[in-house]
Amino acid sequence: MKFKGIFALCLAGFSMSAFAQSHVEGEEYYKADQFDNAKELLLRSLKNQGTDKAVSSYYLGMIALRNKDKAEAEKYFNQGVEENPEYGYNYIGLGTLALLDGDLKTADVEFKEAEKTAKKDGSLQIAIARAYDMADPVKYQKEIEKRLDNARKRNNENPDIYIFEGDVLARAKKWGDAGAKYEMAGKYNGTASDAYVKYANLFTMVNPDYAIRMLKELLSLNPQSALGQRELANAYYNAKDYKNAAAEYSKYIKNPSHFKQDENRYAFLLFYGGDYKKGYDYATQLLQADPSNFTARRYQFMNAAQLPEMKDQLLEMAEGLFKDHKANPKANKFAAIDYTLIADELAKAKRPDEAIAVLQEGIAEMPDNAGFSKDLAMKYVDQNNLTKAAEAFREYVKKTKEPGYNDYNQQALFSFYAAVENKENPELAKAFFDEVLANANKMEEILPDNYKPKMFKGDVAKQTATTEEEAAIVAQPMYEQAVVLLEQAPDPSKYVRDAKTLYMYLGNCYLHKKNIAKAKEYYNKFLKLDPNNEAVRKYVEGLK
């Protein structure tokens, strides 16, 4: 569908402060069902030249009704009547109030008063239909149909007819039919920006590319539309195209009708779009304007953490950010990335206890976040506390919806070292060794041709042997199976360290069994991987 420009926001070259907004921007957001945004713009523009206060009062009153504040709604509608008794929509607002109170007689009087002001206005008939729809769409179905008929008689190509019908269909989740109605509205009047945006919003989650195309068309006709710029940026965001989302936000935040909170989001999008220097500079600019802007401080740190030239300043930034957070945790909330980045900086500064405390708070705040437990495990490794590392990584695996081979491998490794660390506590050590075997079995299910599960099983057998004699030979079957699988791997050279361990154990095993030939076979395999190991070479040469 083709849309013409809705309105020109400003002349090229005007500064943000030079442009005076009117009620039009708020009206546009209201018709697009963005009521909070509409209210902010309507209030912001009330005293500006060019604002029709009667129009603003009507929309502010309707927003108050949607917020179930009848007293405020009545105040605005009465103000609107005082400002301009010939603007009929405020009578419709008063009639809507009467309908919601069950006073049909007063509602009818107000609607008739509205009709006197614009007898040929089909849009006014649709506004009355919406009043009945707001009160009770089932009870007042006949009145709604009557008003729709009245609107059609006045002008069957009035886009408001089709937008209202589209809204009713969308409410019933008849998305395709609703889209067709919005398209009709655009066909009959290209200035029906609400139809354009509502049509795009039907697709923004299921088919963001289509929504993007429609919103681009809107902006090609009216490049200064703040609503269009914002919606296009959000459509890119829903498509996970953060770079283009940031590019659109860069245009939008220069628009005098932008929202202050969206300035912070721009810094966020620059981060996820990979434009870290620009994100850092923009967040810094926001902080210079408002040093108390905690969100801007977060994004400044997030972007700075990706810039090598900022590395010497990161610890101080992390400390300051965490201090502000702790001073007022309800107001200064963190996302997961904040906890992670701050913990990383504390760990780099050799302050693992503090890093762990940060991650533990993150787990308490977001218990389902698996990444915290994984990071916590690595911080415990830095402390050389492998028992805690195994326990933390276990939580990570539990929280991960579909753990993979590498997850089970890492858990097996941590559990193995935790078992060894707790050899003096046989019961706890056994529990960890059992965990190694359980994870090795899961690894085998995923990659049955991989050597590592067999090696883990051999490692456990060695560690749980009751005598040195048993330990010297007990892992042989598992290790020999591991060797076969390792040597069949596409690139055995990637596993040199494990291969050397296996070859040396098997060489010693066969030597223990007095099978010199077999022992030399494994020792020589070891020497192929480590040809400069003179001690092993001389030892093998001396075997007879």
Side-chain angles (χ1 to χ4, degrees), residues 46 50 54 70 104 140 148 166 182 186 193 197 220 250 258 303 307 309 318 334 363 368 375 388 425 430 464 498 534:
L46 266 180
K70 292 181 179 180
L104 274 64
Y140 297 118
L148 281 167
Y182 295 144
S193 60
V197 170
S220 71
S250 72
H258 79 278
N303 282 287
L307 300 171
E309 64 269 26
F334 274 167
I363 291 171
D368 295 331
D375 289 342
K388 288 287 188 182
N425 184 341
K430 182 181 183 306
T464 55
D498 283 346
E534 291 302 319

Side-chain angles (χ1 to χ4, degrees), residues 463-475:
Q463 290 293 329
T464 55
T466 55
T467 65
E468 289 187 11
E469 178 81 13
E470 182 185 2
I473 60 174
V474 71

